Amino acid sequence: DSGVTQTPKHLITATGQRVTLRCSPRSGDLSVYWYQQSLDQGLQFLIHYYNGEERAKGNILERFSAQQFPDLHSELNLSSLELGDSALYFCASSEGRGGTDTQYFGPGTRLTVL
Amino acid sequence: AQSVSQHNHHVILSEAASLELGCNYSYGGTVNLFWYVQYPGQHLQLLLKYFSGDPLVKGIKGFEAEFIKSKFSFNLRKPSVQWSDTAEYFCAVILNTGFQKLVFGTGTRLLVSP
């Protein structure tokens, strides 16, 4: 157990819908990262927040957005869902803001869009 | 564009065989290198990491990796694999060390037969 929690574990929804994925970092970690893992794209970095502020963006679609709240948990919002958004979404956390920190991954949320 | 290549997508070994998984990256600057493992149905776990110093890094569960700067490589090794090593292995690189944007390879699925 990495100490990073994600809810829900599984999510099944229809195209066009909107969902919210939640992540709670390890105690004391200030950074939260979101990744998407799909069969065709592999593991892709989406976005990084440090202490409530966005630090870096990766291959995140405009239909997707995220935020980190004062209690440091983070939510990833996916809207206007398409079949291709079906994937495993991982959250990771680390202690600092970058550089040499190790990222600890949560168990993931498996999203299925029908 | 910066990338991480893992040469073997699938590897099948018998127990007690030696393992070497290749990883190459294309980035000319300073890098931090990682190997993560994903056991079936579980989240990503850190096996080992290299930031600086001795290029031969020892990780958990008997794994080690060698950073060869001239070859842009960070190959993972284990002298004798066990059935419990069956998993998917990901090499990852942090680019732009000011931001923890992990770039992952495509992964190598290892199957160890008893």
Side-chain angles (χ1 to χ4, degrees):
Chain A
D1 186 358
S2 66
V4 179
T5 60
Q6 288 186 249
T7 55
K9 285 189 178 179
H10 302 277
L11 200 48
I12 302 174
T13 188
T15 54
Q17 296 298 305
R18 173 189 169 92
V19 297
T20 297
L21 312 183
R22 183 188 169 101
C23 168
S24 292
R26 294 186 322 154
S27 177
D29 284 359
L30 298 178
S31 275
V32 169
Y33 314 80
W34 286 98
Y35 294 86
Q36 179 194 59
Q37 186 180 31
S38 61
L39 284 174
D40 55 343
Q41 297 287 329
L43 262 165
Q44 299 275 323
F45 166 75
L46 294 178
I47 199 163
H48 167 207
Y49 278 85
Y50 172 76
N51 204 20
E53 293 189 3
E54 182 184 303
R55 287 278 291 171
K57 263 187 176 179
N59 301 320
I60 187 166
L61 300 171
E62 284 191 12
R63 301 183 286 107
F64 296 0
S65 64
Q67 53 184 328
Q68 186 180 26
F69 295 87
D71 68 352
L72 302 176
H73 91 272
S74 178
E75 292 181 355
L76 179 66
N77 300 297
L78 315 176
S79 61
S80 303
L81 285 167
E82 302 175 0
L83 295 177
D85 298 327
S86 294
L88 195 52
Y89 290 85
F90 285 109
C91 162
S93 74
S94 73
E95 187 177 359
R97 70 177 73 202
T100 58
D101 287 352
T102 296
Q103 295 182 28
Y104 295 89
F105 283 76
T109 293
R110 183 169 294 281
L111 173 67
T112 302
V113 182
L114 302 175
Chain B
Q2 297 92 347
S3 65
V4 179
S5 300
Q6 291 183 242
H7 318 297
N8 313 101
H9 295 295
H10 293 90
V11 173
I12 301 174
L13 295 173
S14 299
E15 273 194 317
S18 64
L19 170 72
E20 180 159 2
L21 302 182
C23 173
N24 287 88
Y25 62 93
S26 61
Y27 183 65
T30 303
V31 292
N32 295 334
L33 297 152
F34 303 80
W35 275 97
Y36 280 87
V37 61
Q38 188 175 26
Y39 297 103
Q42 294 190 27
H43 60 279
L44 286 157
Q45 299 174 42
L46 181 68
L47 269 180
L48 47 79
K49 60 187 177 184
Y50 172 79
F51 292 156
S52 63
D54 188 344
L56 185 61
V57 180
K58 294 195 183 298
I60 61 171
K61 305 187 181 188
F63 286 91
E64 65 178 32
E66 185 175 11
F67 171 54
I68 303 179
K69 189 174 181 180
S70 61
K71 294 185 177 180
F72 297 89
S73 71
F74 190 55
N75 292 354
L76 180 71
R77 300 195 291 248
K78 186 171 184 178
S80 176
V81 294
Q82 302 172 326
W83 175 79
S84 58
D85 293 324
T86 294
E88 190 161 13
Y89 293 81
F90 293 92
C91 179
V93 174
I94 285 183
L95 310 178
N96 299 328
T97 53
F99 300 98
Q100 282 203 295
K101 183 177 174 178
L102 264 177
V103 177
F104 283 89
T106 50
T108 298
R109 287 187 186 271
L110 172 66
L111 175 63
V112 180
S113 57

